Amino acid sequence: MTKIFDPPISSRATEELISIKHSTTDLWQQEAIDQAKNELKLRKVTVKQEQEILKEWQAVIESIAIEEEERLKENDRKEYQTLEMLEILFAAPFILAGKWKAGMSLLELRKDNYKKKFDERLILLICGIIGWALFITIFVV
């Protein structure tokens, strides 16, 4: 018995059928892959046509990867502005307690390759906590 997918495999665009055909069973059921193969045969799509589309997709993927690599390289050199540094410094206890959001977290900075900003934020948070502790010790206690 042929399984009906929603929308039916036969009603999908040729490029989507090629995508299904060349995917894995992690993404699509084997029956959907088989139906996509059969539909491509019915539409008389040649292997050469499929390969051309796959090459176009590969070129797009490579272009995106290059752009992402360039973005990460640029992030490596970015620094905080003075006002951002002051905000992090004075709001450090509130930032660490999750009560204040000032830019990206340390985890987000590391994930997006903001090496300089990561180091600056870490130092500012430590200095901010020490500063608040000294302030409370000297003026409150």
Side-chain angles (χ1 to χ4, degrees), residues 63-79 104 107-118:
S63 171
I64 291 170
I66 289 168
E67 288 174 13
E68 179 65 7
E69 188 177 317
E70 288 172 3
R71 184 185 71 83
L72 292 175
K73 280 182 184 176
E74 286 177 20
N75 289 351
D76 182 37
R77 297 181 298 274
K78 290 186 179 175
E79 299 178 359
M104 299 169 78
L107 294 174
E108 293 168 327
L109 291 170
R110 171 146 307 153
K111 182 180 138 272
D112 281 348
N113 200 42
Y114 287 100
K115 291 179 183 174
K116 208 165 203 174
K117 276 190 171 185
F118 178 89

Coordinates of all heavy atoms in Angstrom, one line a residue, residues 63-79 104 107-118:
S63 N 29.1 29.3 -0.2 CA 29.0 30.7 -0.1 C 28.6 31.1 1.3 O 29.2 32.0 1.9 CB 28.1 31.3 -1.2 OG 27.8 32.6 -1.0
I64 N 27.6 30.5 1.8 CA 27.1 30.7 3.2 C 28.2 30.4 4.2 O 28.4 31.2 5.1 CB 25.8 30.0 3.5 CG1 24.7 30.5 2.6 CG2 25.5 30.0 4.9 CD1 23.4 29.7 2.6
A65 N 28.9 29.3 4.0 CA 30.0 28.9 4.9 C 31.1 30.0 4.9 O 31.6 30.3 5.9 CB 30.5 27.6 4.5
I66 N 31.4 30.5 3.7 CA 32.5 31.5 3.6 C 32.0 32.8 4.3 O 32.8 33.4 5.1 CB 32.8 31.8 2.1 CG1 33.6 30.6 1.5 CG2 33.6 33.1 2.0 CD1 33.7 30.6 0.0
E67 N 30.8 33.2 4.1 CA 30.2 34.4 4.8 C 30.3 34.2 6.3 O 30.6 35.2 7.0 CB 28.8 34.7 4.3 CG 28.7 35.2 2.9 CD 27.3 35.3 2.4 OE1 26.3 35.3 3.3 OE2 27.1 35.5 1.2
E68 N 29.9 33.0 6.8 CA 29.9 32.8 8.2 C 31.3 32.8 8.8 O 31.6 33.4 9.8 CB 29.2 31.4 8.5 CG 29.2 31.0 9.9 CD 28.4 31.9 10.8 OE1 27.6 32.8 10.3 OE2 28.4 31.8 12.1
E69 N 32.3 32.3 8.0 CA 33.7 32.3 8.5 C 34.2 33.7 8.5 O 34.9 34.1 9.5 CB 34.5 31.5 7.5 CG 35.9 31.3 7.9 CD 36.7 30.4 6.9 OE1 36.1 29.4 6.5 OE2 37.8 30.8 6.6
E70 N 33.8 34.6 7.6 CA 34.2 36.0 7.6 C 33.6 36.7 8.7 O 34.2 37.5 9.4 CB 33.8 36.6 6.2 CG 34.7 36.2 5.1 CD 34.2 36.7 3.7 OE1 33.2 37.5 3.7 OE2 34.8 36.3 2.7
R71 N 32.3 36.4 9.0 CA 31.6 37.1 10.1 C 32.3 36.7 11.5 O 32.5 37.6 12.3 CB 30.1 36.6 10.2 CG 29.3 37.3 11.3 CD 27.9 36.7 11.3 NE 27.9 35.4 11.9 CZ 27.9 35.1 13.2 NH1 27.9 36.1 14.1 NH2 27.8 33.9 13.6
L72 N 32.6 35.4 11.6 CA 33.3 35.0 12.8 C 34.7 35.6 13.0 O 35.1 36.0 14.1 CB 33.4 33.5 12.9 CG 32.1 32.7 13.1 CD1 32.3 31.2 13.0 CD2 31.4 33.1 14.4
K73 N 35.4 35.8 11.9 CA 36.7 36.5 11.9 C 36.6 37.9 12.3 O 37.4 38.5 13.1 CB 37.4 36.4 10.5 CG 38.1 35.1 10.3 CD 38.8 35.2 8.9 CE 39.4 33.8 8.6 NZ 40.0 33.8 7.2
E74 N 35.5 38.6 11.8 CA 35.3 40.0 12.2 C 34.9 40.1 13.7 O 35.3 41.0 14.3 CB 34.1 40.6 11.3 CG 34.5 40.9 9.9 CD 33.4 41.4 9.1 OE1 32.4 41.9 9.7 OE2 33.4 41.3 7.9
N75 N 34.1 39.2 14.2 CA 33.7 39.2 15.6 C 34.9 39.1 16.5 O 34.9 39.7 17.6 CB 32.8 38.1 15.9 CG 31.4 38.3 15.2 OD1 31.1 39.3 14.7 ND2 30.6 37.2 15.3
D76 N 35.9 38.4 16.1 CA 37.1 38.2 16.9 C 37.8 39.5 17.3 O 38.3 39.6 18.4 CB 38.1 37.4 16.1 CG 39.4 37.0 16.8 OD1 39.3 36.8 18.0 OD2 40.5 37.0 16.2
R77 N 37.7 40.5 16.5 CA 38.3 41.8 16.8 C 37.4 42.9 17.4 O 37.9 43.9 17.8 CB 38.9 42.4 15.5 CG 40.0 41.5 14.9 CD 40.6 42.1 13.6 NE 39.6 42.3 12.6 CZ 39.3 41.4 11.7 NH1 39.8 40.2 11.7 NH2 38.4 41.6 10.7
K78 N 36.2 42.6 17.5 CA 35.2 43.6 18.1 C 35.4 43.8 19.6 O 35.7 42.9 20.3 CB 33.8 43.3 17.7 CG 33.5 43.4 16.2 CD 32.1 43.1 15.9 CE 31.8 43.3 14.4 NZ 30.5 43.0 14.1
E79 N 35.2 45.1 20.0 CA 35.4 45.5 21.4 C 34.1 46.2 21.9 O 33.3 46.7 21.1 CB 36.6 46.4 21.5 CG 37.9 45.9 21.1 CD 39.0 46.9 21.3 OE1 38.7 48.1 21.7 OE2 40.2 46.6 21.0
M104 N 25.3 40.5 25.0 CA 25.3 39.0 24.9 C 26.0 38.4 26.2 O 26.8 39.0 26.8 CB 26.1 38.6 23.7 CG 25.5 39.1 22.4 SD 26.6 38.8 21.0 CE 26.4 37.1 20.7
L107 N 28.5 32.9 27.3 CA 28.3 31.8 26.4 C 28.0 32.2 24.9 O 28.6 31.6 24.0 CB 27.2 30.9 26.9 CG 27.5 30.2 28.2 CD1 26.2 29.4 28.7 CD2 28.7 29.3 28.1
E108 N 27.2 33.2 24.8 CA 26.8 33.7 23.4 C 28.1 34.3 22.8 O 28.3 34.1 21.6 CB 25.7 34.7 23.5 CG 24.4 34.1 23.9 CD 23.3 35.2 24.2 OE1 23.7 36.3 24.8 OE2 22.2 34.9 24.0
L109 N 28.9 35.1 23.5 CA 30.1 35.7 23.0 C 31.1 34.6 22.5 O 31.6 34.7 21.5 CB 30.7 36.6 24.1 CG 30.0 37.9 24.4 CD1 30.6 38.5 25.6 CD2 29.9 38.8 23.2
R110 N 31.2 33.6 23.3 CA 32.1 32.5 23.0 C 31.6 31.8 21.7 O 32.4 31.5 20.8 CB 32.3 31.5 24.1 CG 33.1 30.3 23.7 CD 34.0 29.7 24.6 NE 35.0 30.5 25.2 CZ 35.5 30.2 26.4 NH1 35.1 29.1 27.0 NH2 36.3 31.0 27.0
K111 N 30.3 31.5 21.7 CA 29.8 30.8 20.5 C 29.9 31.6 19.2 O 30.2 31.0 18.2 CB 28.3 30.6 20.8 CG 27.6 29.8 19.7 CD 26.1 29.6 20.1 CE 25.2 29.8 18.9 NZ 24.7 31.1 18.6
D112 N 29.8 32.9 19.3 CA 29.9 33.7 18.1 C 31.4 34.3 17.9 O 31.5 35.2 17.1 CB 28.9 34.8 18.1 CG 27.5 34.4 17.7 OD1 27.4 33.3 17.2 OD2 26.6 35.1 17.9
N113 N 32.3 33.7 18.6 CA 33.8 34.0 18.4 C 34.1 35.5 18.7 O 35.0 36.1 18.1 CB 34.2 33.7 16.9 CG 35.7 33.6 16.8 OD1 36.3 33.0 17.7 ND2 36.3 34.1 15.8
Y114 N 33.4 36.1 19.7 CA 33.8 37.4 20.1 C 34.9 37.3 21.2 O 34.6 37.5 22.4 CB 32.6 38.1 20.7 CG 31.6 38.6 19.7 CD1 30.4 37.9 19.5 CD2 31.8 39.8 19.0 CE1 29.5 38.3 18.5 CE2 30.8 40.2 18.1 CZ 29.7 39.5 17.9 OH 28.8 40.0 17.0
K115 N 36.1 36.9 20.8 CA 37.1 36.7 21.8 C 37.5 37.9 22.7 O 37.6 37.8 23.9 CB 38.4 36.2 21.1 CG 38.2 34.8 20.5 CD 39.5 34.3 19.7 CE 39.2 33.0 19.1 NZ 40.3 32.6 18.3
K116 N 37.6 39.0 22.0 CA 38.0 40.2 22.7 C 36.9 40.7 23.7 O 37.1 41.0 24.8 CB 38.4 41.3 21.8 CG 39.3 42.3 22.3 CD 39.9 43.2 21.1 CE 41.2 43.7 21.6 NZ 41.9 44.4 20.6
K117 N 35.7 40.6 23.2 CA 34.5 41.0 24.0 C 34.3 40.0 25.2 O 34.0 40.4 26.3 CB 33.2 41.1 23.2 CG 33.0 42.4 22.5 CD 31.6 42.4 21.9 CE 31.3 43.8 21.3 NZ 29.9 43.9 20.9
F118 N 34.6 38.7 24.9 CA 34.5 37.7 26.0 C 35.4 38.1 27.1 O 35.0 38.1 28.3 CB 34.8 36.3 25.4 CG 34.7 35.2 26.4 CD1 33.6 34.6 26.7 CD2 35.9 34.9 27.1 CE1 33.5 33.6 27.7 CE2 35.9 33.9 28.1 CZ 34.7 33.2 28.4

